[in-house]
Structures are given as structure tokens and as C-alpha cells.
Amino acid sequence: MNSNPIALELRNVTKSYGGVAALREGNLRIAKATIHGVVGANGAGKSTLIKIASGVVRRDGGSILVNGMETDLRSVPDALAAGIVAMPQELTIVPDQSVAENITMGREPSVLGFTTTRRSRVIARKLLREMGVSLDVARTAGEIEPAEQRIVMLARALHTGAHTLILDEPTAALNAAQAEVFLRVVSGLRESGYSVVYISHRFNEVEELCDEVTILRDGMTVDRLSKERCRQDELVAAVVQDSALSERVLREKPAQPNATPAIEMRNVSGRILSDISFSVRPGEILGFCGLAGSGVNEVMEFLGGVRSPVSGQLRAAGQEMRFDSPAEALKRGVTYLPVERAKAGMVDMSIRANLVTASLPQISRLGFVTQEMEDAFSNSVLSNLGLAHRAHEPLRALSGGNRQKVLLGRCLLADARVVVLDDPTVGVDVRARADIHELLGRFADQGRAVIVAVSEPEELLSVADRVLVMNRGTIVAELTGSEITSEALVRAATTSGKVGAFEVVATA
Ligand SMILES: Nc1ncnc2c1ncn2[C@@H]1O[C@H](COP(=O)(O)OP(=O)(O)OP(=O)(O)O)[C@@H](O)[C@H]1O
Ligand SMILES: [Mg+2]
């Protein structure tokens, strides 16, 4: 074990919500100037543990020690005073404000009570430079890349002056190249003496980055691994335990080559896209990948009916359909899971409300819908997803990954002919990831067309029948069956030479 003094320790911490235990026995010991991983399945209690450590949630029992001294963290300001700050799992960028304003938010520099834009830019620029990142602080935060938004959140955390930083799945929505840049910044923080808690479902990152790892299972800390044991295989075994993950089932019935396409795009051009055409047959799983800015996200948005292109045509089952209308897409049997889940889910509403909005045509065929019917439908979706929650609970009561499963379930279980999913496995644990892949195969076997975009191309190896690789608004490669190898995917996506979403000016 690391011999540095302990920066932060949680002993037998507990937390219940309405009589249900979220955390039964949380233990965590973080040595100074180290990166400490926290892993566990969806709902294991990771976010709850670190919310307690950062004063966001008050513990029911147990103790917290900061630099060896018992400290009662009752609130976020308490935790900040003790030098602890958390960067939450959810994106907390204010989109219409500048990068500088987002970084200094809540601690704006002021002169006679007036905040000054200039001061705030100077501070933001200095912080980013120290992190080794080049990013224009005057830009509007809503317009920068997702990876850059995470960097901005990290800069905001550093601006508080805290020395213990807690990062909850910061790279979940980033592609491999972006995540690498983010990880480089985090490992620079360790060199500068910060203590970092790092939660992730991406075990390759944990292996690469962490000095120690704490394993959580069902609300309990069950193990603590030293550096030598922080290997991907050990981590998978610790989280999944002994039962095997679902393997890729090679589907026997490939799509009928002569069938009318379930959905088709013809000569579509948009903000990024330039003259894109492709079609998907019933029963086929088409994968999309490409680096940030390649246009994949725009393709998904057009298919989902949330935005319309400059020119081109969209056809579902041989008939022309309108873009720009999610309702029309749904009516034509196209369901869509956007990459920005905050837009898709209503956290204050019940699970039932979240499921029923997308599936109403399916359960209202009789012309009326009773609350009992909605409940029965929702509960069957939940049990299909392996979730022990009930329909009336608010979405807020679910862990991040489990919310994700509900939103995915809503797309998959609606009676759709075409399922469009933008990065469906963000934030889900290893087992759920394998289950989701299997589920996609099942849907294709039922004759639906599945279109799936991913941020990690590797993921397509285990799901896609065919892959379109995009670069700068055009399709640069089409791979089928055994042509889909990780090497081919990466080569096709990176031929333009652009690697990450932003450059690193110096290694921090
Ligand atoms: N506000 C809340 N109200 C009720 N239950 C909650 C609340 N927050 C969390 N829980 C429950 O506590 C348990 C632990 O949730 P937590 O968010 O800590 O999991 P997690 O390990 O972070 O999972 P994930 O990997 O999905 O983010 C879950 O069963 C969750 O449903
Ligand atoms: Mg969580």
C-alpha cells in the first residue's frame, strides 16, 4: 500500500433513502498525492460515497477524517473548507455562458461588488495553462466539445483551491482520444500534489491511472487493491464476481439484401454533413463511429427528428418522411436515444412517466390508458432490464447508470421498427454493457433495424453487422462482417490526422 500520509478517510459510512440502504458500510482511504480508483456495478453506492465525502449528502452514520482529524462534513462549504471538492457525474456547464464564467462560477473575482469579465478571463486562462490545456476562455461553453466541457468542470473544481478532487465518471461520454487527453491532465494533478478520487466503469483507464482501487458491492466496500492488482481482469472479476459475461452471439440470419430499407438517408447535407447517403435493412445492426466533429452526432439527430438538414431526403419503409419532428419519427416507428441524456430524461418525474412518454402509442391501442396499465407496462420494462425499482419511484432515485438503462429501455421496448441509439452504454457497468449488446442482437433478430453510434470504436466489434466510419462530414469507410477489426476502425477514423477534441500545449 502507498506510504504517503492519508488525505481523506471514510470509516463505516452509511446512508439510507426512505428506509432503503444506498450505502451499508462505505470505507475509503486516500493517500496524499495519489489517484485512488473507485469501481463497482451500477447502483453499488459509488456516487453516494463520494457525495458524502464532498458534503453534497449528509451521512447517517460512520466517520470522516481529513488529514487524520475527525471532521463533520455537513455541507458543500464544509467540505470546501476542508479542501475537498467533487466534480459530479452530471454535466454542470451553463451553456450560454463563457468558458471563463463557467470556471470562476460561484467564486467570481469582484471589484466593489462588480464581477469583472477581464479578471475572470485572466484567472481562467492561468488555470487552463497550469493544466496544460489550450482553450479559448471567451468561447461560449455550450459550443465547445464535450471533452472540453469536462476540462472546464475540472478547472472550476481547481479554482476552489481544494487539494482533494473527486471525479465521478468524468470520461464516460468521451471517445478514447479525448479521454486520453483528460487522463493526462489528471495525472499531471497528481504530480502537483493533488489527491484524486477517480470513479469509472472504464477499467483500462483505472489500470493506467490509479495507484490504488476501492471496490464497492451492494453498498459495501469489499476490497482494496494495491497498484499491482489494479489490472483490468482483476477489476472485472471483482465487480462481476464469478458469473460469466454474455458473449457475442453471432447472428445466423443476416438482413435480407433485397428487403426495402427500414430507413434511408439520401444526399443529406447539414452543418457538418456533406452529401451523406446510406440505408439500413430490417434485421441489420449498423454501427457508426468517428472522432468528435466527424458528423456522426448530426446523423443521429437527423434520424431522431430533433434537427433538420440543409438539404436531402429521409425515407422510412420506402416513404418519404419529415425531419425535425420527434413526434413524426415516433409515429413512423423510429425511436431515438440522444447522447445528451439530460435532455431525454425528466429526473423529477416518475420512472413510469419517463417510460410512458415514448411508448404511449404502444400501450394506448385500446384507446384509453389507465394508471394500472401504465404501471404494468413500466414494471415489465423494469424487470426486463433487471432493475429492482418500481414504476412510481422518481428517476432521481436511480443511480446514474440505472437511469441510463431506463432511458435505453424506453427506446428498445417501444414498438419501433427502427432504433437509433447515440452511445447507449455511456456510464453502464461491464455486465450491463454486455447485456445491452445482447439486447441489440435480439432486437435485430426480431426484424428491427438498429443504428448505433459509439464513442469507443472497439465497442462495435461485438455488436455491428456493418460499420460506417465518418470523418469531417463524410463517410470514409464501410466495413462488413470480418472486415470490422479494431485496427481498421481506428485507421479509418484517424486518417485526417486530427486526434483529440483539443490540443495539449504542454504535458502538465
Ligand atoms: N436520491 C435518492 N433517493 C433514493 N435512492 C437513491 C438516491 N440516490 C441513490 N439512491 C440509491 O442508492 C443506491 C446507490 O446509488 P449510487 O448512485 O451511489 O450508485 P453508483 O454506484 O454511483 O452507480 P452508477 O455506476 O450507476 O452511477 C442505488 O440503489 C440508488 O437507487
Ligand atoms: Mg454513480
Side-chain angles (χ1 to χ4, degrees):
M1 291 285 149
N2 193 290
S3 57
N4 293 4
I6 302 303
L8 172 67
E9 180 170 2
L10 272 68
R11 286 189 191 156
N12 297 326
V13 168
T14 59
K15 176 74 195 175
S16 292
Y17 290 100
V20 182
L23 205 54
R24 293 187 290 150
E25 202 186 307
N27 287 294
L28 191 64
R29 266 163 67 90
I30 301 138
K32 282 211 170 96
T34 64
I35 302 179
H36 192 105
V38 176
V39 306
N42 293 133
K46 303 179 295 297
S47 295
T48 306
L49 186 73
I50 65 97
K51 279 178 186 161
I52 290 171
S54 54
V56 175
V57 159
R58 182 113 165 85
R59 68 193 188 284
D60 295 338
S63 49
I64 302 174
L65 287 83
V66 179
N67 296 321
M69 300 263 293
E70 193 148 333
T71 313
D72 188 17
L73 305 179
R74 291 163 173 272
S75 63
V76 173
D78 267 9
L80 285 174
I84 302 163
V85 71
M87 175 173 146
Q89 189 163 1
E90 305 78 29
L91 193 65
T92 54
I93 287 295
V94 181
D96 54 3
Q97 296 201 353
S98 71
V99 165
E101 285 166 317
N102 268 280
I103 291 175
T104 55
M105 187 163 293
R107 314 187 143 239
E108 291 89 352
S110 69
V111 176
L112 303 174
F114 293 99
T115 62
T116 70
T117 311
R118 208 180 63 79
R119 275 292 295 152
S120 141
R121 287 190 183 170
V122 169
I123 291 172
R125 227 175 267 130
K126 178 166 178 288
L127 265 168
L128 290 171
R129 196 170 334 112
E130 282 166 10
M131 291 164 76
V133 172
S134 110
L135 179 61
D136 180 0
V137 297
R139 286 185 65 190
T140 307
E143 285 166 5
I144 61 178
E145 296 288 345
E148 295 171 317
Q149 294 175 332
R150 289 287 163 175
I151 292 277
V152 168
M153 284 172 66
L154 185 58
R156 183 194 293 159
L158 291 174
H159 182 50
T160 64
H163 54 73
T164 299
L165 304 170
I166 306 180
L167 313 180
D168 197 351
E169 299 192 39
T171 59
L174 308 188
N175 68 36
Q178 296 169 331
E180 205 182 305
V181 174
F182 189 89
L183 297 190
R184 216 177 308 161
V185 173
V186 174
S187 89
L189 294 176
R190 168 175 48 198
E191 308 313 314
S192 315
Y194 287 95
S195 315
V196 179
V197 180
Y198 196 83
I199 302 183
S200 181
H201 290 293
R202 294 186 173 183
F203 296 160
N204 55 338
E205 293 180 353
V206 176
E207 173 176 330
E208 185 187 322
L209 195 66
C210 296
D211 303 299
E212 280 171 323
V213 173
T214 289
I215 315 271
L216 276 178
R217 192 181 301 145
D218 296 332
M220 303 233 314
T221 297
V222 292
D223 205 353
R224 184 172 142 151
L225 310 181
S226 57
K227 179 81 192 162
E228 308 72 62
R229 289 179 63 204
C230 295
R231 291 192 323 267
Q232 292 187 53
D233 52 344
E234 283 251 8
L235 295 168
V236 172
V239 170
V240 179
Q241 289 182 276
D242 50 4
S243 40
L245 294 174
S246 352
E247 292 282 322
R248 172 172 196 183
V249 200
L250 278 176
R251 294 180 308 107
E252 306 209 330
K253 252 190 319 169
Q256 314 93 301
N258 300 320
T260 308
I263 193 150
E264 189 177 5
M265 243 188 210
R266 287 190 188 167
N267 310 105
V268 167
S269 296
R271 197 167 53 88
I272 299 174
L273 299 186
S274 121
D275 198 21
I276 295 284
S277 300
F278 69 89
S279 64
V280 195
R281 315 256 162 214
E284 186 181 28
I285 304 181
L286 178 67
F288 268 97
C289 65
L291 300 174
S294 65
V296 170
N297 187 248
E298 205 172 47
V299 171
M300 298 294 130
E301 288 181 340
F302 290 162
L303 289 171
V306 296
R307 221 137 62 79
S308 52
V310 176
S311 59
Q313 213 187 51
L314 185 62
R315 301 174 74 84
Q319 288 189 318
E320 184 161 359
M321 72 183 259
R322 257 178 60 204
F323 288 95
D324 80 17
S325 160
E328 161 138 337
L330 211 57
K331 213 168 69 203
R332 299 296 197 98
V334 182
T335 55
Y336 167 59
L337 179 74
V339 71
E340 226 178 300
R341 307 311 177 215
K343 281 189 192 154
M346 305 169 288
V347 289
D348 291 320
M349 309 280 278
S350 65
I351 297 175
R352 179 206 303 125
N354 273 284
L355 284 172
V356 165
T357 27
S359 326
L360 211 54
Q362 184 184 358
I363 54 173
S364 66
R365 278 205 199 102
L366 298 174
F368 62 91
V369 188
T370 64
Q371 171 132 356
E372 286 74 40
M373 288 160 70
E374 292 187 358
D375 270 346
F377 171 79
S378 305
N379 286 327
S380 82
V381 173
L382 287 170
S383 65
N384 254 306
L385 294 167
L387 294 178
H389 293 276
R390 308 303 298 170
H392 67 269
E393 289 179 57
L395 197 60
R396 188 180 288 294
L398 271 59
S399 77
N402 287 339
R403 273 181 217 177
Q404 166 74 4
K405 286 182 214 166
V406 167
L407 297 176
L408 178 69
R410 149 174 123 176
C411 282
L412 293 180
L413 297 155
D415 207 2
R417 279 195 310 263
V418 181
V419 184
V420 181
L421 308 167
D422 202 345
D423 228 351
T425 61
V426 168
V428 306
D429 63 44
V430 270
R431 171 188 297 282
R433 178 180 288 236
D435 288 349
I436 288 170
H437 291 168
E438 204 221 61
L439 205 59
L440 297 186
R442 281 219 307 267
F443 280 95
D445 288 343
Q446 292 166 1
R448 308 188 202 204
V450 179
I451 302 174
V452 55
V454 297
S455 51
E456 287 176 284
E458 301 269 314
E459 210 183 322
L460 293 175
L461 300 177
S462 54
V463 279
D465 299 323
R466 183 159 60 97
V467 174
L468 298 178
V469 183
M470 296 194 60
N471 198 337
R472 296 182 172 168
T474 60
I475 295 169
V476 291
E478 175 168 7
L479 307 168
T480 311
S482 58
E483 291 166 12
I484 310 173
T485 62
S486 43
E487 208 204 337
L489 290 170
V490 171
R491 188 165 354 99
T494 53
T495 38
S496 77
K498 187 183 175 213
V499 176
F502 42 79
E503 345 149 29
V504 174
V505 285
T507 26

